[in-house]
Amino acid sequence: MPTASPARRAIAVMLLIPAVAALALWAFAWPAARTAPHDLPIGIAGPAAAAAPLEERFEHRQGAFEVHRYDDEAAAREAIEDRAVYGAVAMTPAGPKVLTASAASSVVAQLLKESLTAGAPPGTRVAVEDVVATPAGDARGSALASSVLPLALAGVTAGAMVTGLGLRGARSALALTGAAVLVGITATALTHSWLGVLAGNWWAEAGAFTLATLAVGATVAGLAALLGPPGFGLGALLIVLLGNPFSGVATAPEMLPEPAGLIGQWLPPGAGGSLLRSVAYFDGREAGAATLTLSLWAALGMAAVLIGGRRRTAAPAVAATRPVEPAPAG
């Protein structure tokens, strides 16, 4: 097969790099520039007569909030702890009270506080309580968001290494699993034991880190096993250029423009961030969907690794058993 000339290769580089830069800028800048609530679940609690005007005010911003009604403050608190809503406003005899959950999203917690105080009559005192707060070592909740990209890079690196080292089939699957387990233990030791920014069950957090890393690594290695070098590029593109900015971990999936938030939760970085948040701050509540998503990516990736390994092993065997035609007589 003829190779491209140096001039054509130079033109390809000049055209490809700007295209990649444009894709990266779109993937990262578009969600950041369009950050706003989209069907953001919040609660309103209290007597209907007192809560109705506030409910109408939130519903007036069509498509911004998904309002859930609760009979009293206790029910709203339970909904926040169960991750059914990001926060709530309780109408109490002393006045409105904002119930937030900075552990769910510090951005949403601030948004709720500002939305209520901005519309309150002059002189009205609005009480604010953080029902599920982040640990003191991570008051702004930024450490968990910062862990998504390193996990993605660790998974991509694992997939690239098993491919580059020529590991195939079961050896590749074993290496990916072992690397993911060690990443999970190391990441939990750093974030939970040393920095103190996670507050859940230690081994549940390690499991979340492990599953997220394995899902990424298996995806990249599986695509490379099936498609060759283009598969590695596709995997890295899917995880780093789409999965990371669409994850919504820094804000909330519902704060991203549609359908970026939904797509992000279908990809390993977004699902990994959601799972880690559930086990770190909410005792594993609402962790099922994220666990299933990561498990599917890991299982499909591992299947691709095993299938690709068998195909590559079978090809040389077939070539070796092919009869050699005798040379024509001179």
Side-chain angles (χ1 to χ4, degrees), residues 45-47 73 90-97:
E73 181 181 339
M91 306 305 294
T92 68
K97 183 176 185 180

Side-chain angles (χ1 to χ4, degrees), residues 114-271:
E114 291 176 353
S115 297
L116 192 63
T117 54
T124 303
R125 180 180 175 275
V126 179
V128 180
E129 180 180 350
D130 199 347
V131 176
V132 185
T134 54
D138 186 25
R140 296 184 178 181
S142 57
L144 185 142
S146 300
S147 67
V148 172
L149 182 58
L151 283 181
L153 293 177
V156 170
T157 303
M161 287 189 67
V162 298
T163 302
L165 294 174
L167 299 178
R168 299 173 183 171
R171 286 189 177 90
S172 178
L174 180 61
L176 288 169
T177 303
V181 170
L182 291 177
V183 167
I185 293 174
T186 303
T188 309
L190 290 173
T191 56
H192 184 118
S193 302
W194 179 45
L195 297 175
V197 297
L198 301 183
N201 178 273
W202 200 96
W203 288 107
E205 293 166 357
F209 278 122
T210 297
L211 185 56
T213 306
L214 181 61
V216 174
T219 298
V220 173
L223 288 171
L226 294 178
L227 305 177
F232 170 74
L234 178 60
L237 179 74
L238 191 67
I239 299 299
V240 178
L241 287 188
L242 287 183
N244 186 54
F246 285 11
S247 67
V249 178
T251 54
E254 294 85 356
M255 293 293 291
L256 301 182
E258 298 176 344
L262 179 61
I263 294 173
Q265 294 306 296
W266 291 344
L267 296 175

Side-chain angles (χ1 to χ4, degrees), residues 77 80-81 83 85-88 98-113 128-145 197-199 248-252 273 276-278 280-282:
R77 285 174 174 275
I80 293 172
E81 293 169 351
R83 297 199 71 186
V85 294
Y86 281 90
V98 181
L99 304 176
T100 64
S102 59
S105 172
S106 59
V107 173
V108 174
Q110 185 65 24
L111 174 68
L112 281 177
K113 179 181 176 181
V128 180
E129 180 180 350
D130 199 347
V131 176
V132 185
T134 54
D138 186 25
R140 296 184 178 181
S142 57
L144 185 142
V197 297
L198 301 183
V249 178
T251 54
L276 184 59
R277 193 181 296 278
S278 290
Y281 305 132
F282 294 90

